[in-house]
Amino acid sequence: MKTVITYIPSISSLELDKMTFLLPYYLNKEFNTKSYVYTNLCNDHIGKFYRNVEVVCDNNLEEYVYKNKVSCDLFIVFGHGKYKNKLAKLLKTINPKCKYVIFTDASKPKFRFLSFLKSLILINLRMKRRKELIEFGNETYNLADKFVAFTDYEFHKLEENGFLGRDISEKLIIMINGYDSETFIKRISNLDFDKKENLILYTGRIGVYPKNHNMFFKIAKDNYILNGWKIVMVGPYSDGFIEKFKKNCKKYDAIRENLILTGPAKSKDELYGFYEKSKAFLLTSKSETLCFSLIEAALFRNYLITTEVGIAAYVSKNYEYCSTFSFKNINSLRKIIYDLTHGCIDINEKTKSCQDFTIQNLDYKSLIRNSFFKEYLEEKENDI
């Protein structure tokens, strides 16, 4: 039985249905591995086990690994870092066959090496810092067995820009995010589309610049376009956004009536309740990496209105079952919202097709089964 360790710096109960836990869980089920999540900090009372994944919480994991002579076959991290490299080095010392896999995010500025170097020069930082950064990139490249991008967009960006100036194309692959069939299929099996309300939903962080949430104000103030529909935004919002919301409410009565801020959902049941009630889901972001909310929206039969980001193409059969618009193109978005609220789009048929497509193609079981992990974890005769 092979051992898989996934490292997360800190965890809370909110992580339990995300890729960070679902990945080791389904690797265990598919390849009969022993799966662990290592963390330096547990923010909630998660317990020693979650499903079939054992949680090891220790503020000095290097010492824990060394003392217990932990033998690992596959070490997985999300994002790069010196501490992650230290753990990888130690695990590879104990077991030289251990594979180190880094899931990367090309949209983060720290991956744009040239622009980062320019900024270093502009603020007159020493050459030593740049040398350290290059050395870190080389060290990470030499340690890593695979760099994993979440989408085609991420893949091509990393292929083009590299990792901190280092070409990683030979080690770069794609693995898209998926959904937990054991949780979702039960939840959506009795979904009644006829009971849905005329709601356009958004879930996630609110008020962050790349999310472009000012467009929500522009839609919410137009009663003619909305035609009686409401916009519901679920999630934590920035102080700047709530200030803009209050100012716009004073200026436009329609925004106060049409735009509903709920704050963060208190539980997954409450969050899923919003998806169940809503007929559409709106995403206005400039860029997204995983954007699991699009998968949730597709599974709960929300009609997707989105910029061409993240996983949108994967859940909608290359945009066949949704409507797309360019970032900040308010006229295009107005037209789509008008068509939605005035019955010009057959959302019953579109959302059913989108749900069926997502169920068939983004199940974690099938994604894991057909992934590069098979090469690392499938037992071979000489392993036995």
Side-chain angles (χ1 to χ4, degrees), residues 10-166:
S10 64
I11 57 175
S12 68
S13 57
L14 296 175
E15 300 284 341
L16 299 180
D17 64 343
K18 294 183 179 179
M19 191 178 197
T20 44
F21 264 89
L22 290 179
L23 187 57
Y25 172 67
Y26 278 106
L27 286 174
N28 190 334
K29 293 198 72 174
E30 182 62 29
F31 299 107
N32 192 32
T33 64
K34 180 64 178 173
S35 293
Y36 297 86
V37 166
Y38 277 26
T39 183
N40 301 110
L41 178 65
C42 288
N43 295 319
D44 294 320
H45 299 293
I46 294 172
K48 191 174 180 180
F49 283 89
Y50 178 72
R51 290 173 156 179
N52 62 12
V53 179
E54 185 172 343
V55 179
V56 175
C57 184
D58 197 305
N59 60 8
N60 191 345
L61 286 170
E62 287 177 274
E63 185 178 338
Y64 176 89
V65 168
Y66 181 77
K67 278 187 176 180
N68 292 279
K69 293 182 172 57
V70 174
S71 182
C72 174
D73 297 288
L74 177 61
F75 182 49
I76 301 169
V77 299
F78 294 86
H80 65 273
K82 289 185 177 180
Y83 187 74
K84 295 168 185 176
N85 283 357
K86 284 182 181 179
L87 286 175
K89 273 184 185 178
L90 184 54
L91 290 167
K92 280 177 171 278
T93 301
I94 297 170
N95 178 12
K97 293 183 179 179
C98 176
K99 303 298 182 182
Y100 182 29
V101 173
I102 303 174
F103 281 79
T104 61
D105 178 358
S107 67
K108 293 181 180 178
K110 57 188 173 185
F111 284 96
R112 293 172 188 164
F113 184 69
L114 291 177
S115 62
F116 188 62
L117 275 183
K118 287 177 184 176
S119 69
L120 292 179
I121 294 169
L122 286 172
I123 60 176
N124 295 317
L125 289 180
R126 295 178 180 178
M127 288 293 293
K128 181 181 176 183
R129 172 59 183 151
R130 279 179 279 169
K131 183 181 177 182
E132 287 174 353
L133 193 61
I134 293 169
E135 287 175 352
F136 171 70
N138 289 334
E139 177 193 63
T140 304
Y141 176 84
N142 292 331
L143 276 172
D145 293 277
K146 296 287 184 188
F147 291 87
V148 187
F150 296 106
T151 64
D152 287 327
Y153 172 82
E154 300 287 328
F155 179 88
H156 293 308
K157 280 290 183 183
L158 286 164
E159 192 175 41
E160 178 185 349
N161 298 334
F163 174 82
L164 297 177
R166 182 69 186 257

Side-chain angles (χ1 to χ4, degrees), residues 79 108 211 243 354:
K108 293 181 180 178
K211 305 287 185 181
E243 295 259 339
C354 191

Side-chain angles (χ1 to χ4, degrees), residues 11 23-24 45 82 125-126 172 175 185 200 217 258 293:
I11 57 175
L23 187 57
H45 299 293
K82 289 185 177 180
L125 289 180
R126 295 178 180 178
L172 183 62
M175 182 180 171
I185 297 303
I200 301 170
F217 294 133
N258 296 331
S293 56

Side-chain angles (χ1 to χ4, degrees), residues 361-374:
N361 293 279
L362 295 183
D363 179 2
Y364 246 110
K365 291 178 183 177
S366 60
L367 291 176
I368 292 291
R369 189 177 301 124
N370 299 315
S371 71
F372 70 97
F373 288 115
K374 186 175 181 179

